[in-house]
Amino acid sequence: RSTAWNGGIRSKRGGRRGRTYPLDVTEIPAAEESAFSDPDDFSDEAQEFRKLSFTTNQVNLKGVDPDGSQRAWDLYQKANYIKRNHGGRGLVLSTGTPLSNTIAELYTIQRYLQEEQLVKLGVKHFDAWVSTFGMIESAMEFDMTGAGQAVTRFRSFVNAPELSRLWQQVADIRVASETPDLKKLLPKT
């Protein structure tokens, strides 16, 4: 198994002393490629990689930051390597919080796991994706002093059933009631 770890993918078999694969996945020696063939290749705590950069013409869209992190870019490159060498499959991102701050996080997860599907649907780029699945509107917002300013935000979803079906192709969502072993660990109220 492998998981993202400080700039590389570290083998869980070796714990903290496991092999860290290089940042440039094209440099992975052929003998080590077998480490990626495990069907359990995964990244735990995938929310750590939600800041994948993207281009957009929506420069003033509040709550959406197109600037990414090196950590997310690193995982994106490694995810592409794994998918390229395993027929588009072989990557698992696990998290308890897939979406926490912005709608761009859903787009990012889809880029990691469904990029070919996004290309087929013509929504690979953020602007095409958000115009297909979201409503962007400008409205007056007021601060504590009462001063108003026009702010452009992602206001609501459109084509939500289609987005949901697309999301459910890669998402395996569980709640506490569906996992009896986990339910035993919840605090008693």
Side-chain angles (χ1 to χ4, degrees):
R1 297 185 208 188
S2 58
T3 187
W5 188 279
N6 295 335
I9 290 184
R10 181 174 295 272
S11 167
K12 280 198 163 186
R13 291 184 190 108
R16 290 191 64 83
R17 295 180 187 209
R19 169 80 165 98
T20 300
Y21 297 97
L23 187 64
D24 181 0
V25 294
T26 60
E27 297 176 7
I28 295 173
E32 302 219 16
E33 287 184 14
S34 62
F36 288 104
S37 64
D38 188 327
D40 294 324
D41 285 342
F42 72 97
S43 173
D44 193 8
E45 303 300 336
Q47 74 276 3
E48 301 284 330
F49 306 94
R50 65 176 165 240
K51 292 283 294 167
L52 185 59
S53 62
F54 56 91
T55 57
T56 181
N57 292 324
Q58 306 285 340
V59 293
N60 294 323
L61 187 59
K62 189 126 182 178
V64 173
D65 181 8
D67 296 330
S69 69
Q70 181 60 42
R71 176 185 280 187
W73 180 249
D74 182 52
L75 180 63
Y76 179 70
Q77 293 298 312
K78 291 170 182 169
N80 286 335
Y81 174 86
I82 291 168
K83 290 185 295 184
R84 188 173 52 248
N85 289 290
H86 295 91
R89 304 178 61 92
L91 179 68
V92 174
L93 300 178
S94 63
T95 181
T97 52
L99 307 176
S100 60
N101 291 319
T102 73
I103 192 58
E105 293 171 5
L106 177 56
Y107 170 70
T108 294
I109 293 169
Q110 289 186 300
R111 284 181 63 199
Y112 283 128
L113 299 173
Q114 295 180 291
E115 195 158 39
E116 286 184 26
Q117 185 74 8
L118 296 179
V119 169
K120 287 178 188 174
L121 295 172
V123 294
K124 177 183 178 188
H125 301 286
F126 181 75
D127 291 344
W129 185 90
V130 80
S131 68
T132 302
F133 298 117
M135 178 68 66
I136 295 175
E137 294 178 353
S138 294
M140 289 297 289
E141 292 187 5
F142 299 92
D143 63 17
M144 299 283 284
T145 65
Q149 180 180 0
V151 176
T152 304
R153 289 187 185 273
F154 181 94
R155 296 288 176 186
S156 62
F157 286 101
V158 296
N159 299 316
E162 291 81 359
L163 180 58
S164 178
R165 279 193 293 276
L166 188 61
W167 172 248
Q168 289 174 20
Q169 290 175 5
V170 295
D172 183 24
I173 301 167
R174 301 285 178 212
V175 294
S177 62
E178 296 175 314
T179 54
D181 293 336
L182 181 62
K183 197 171 183 178
K184 294 175 194 174
L185 302 174
L186 295 174
K188 299 194 188 313
T189 54

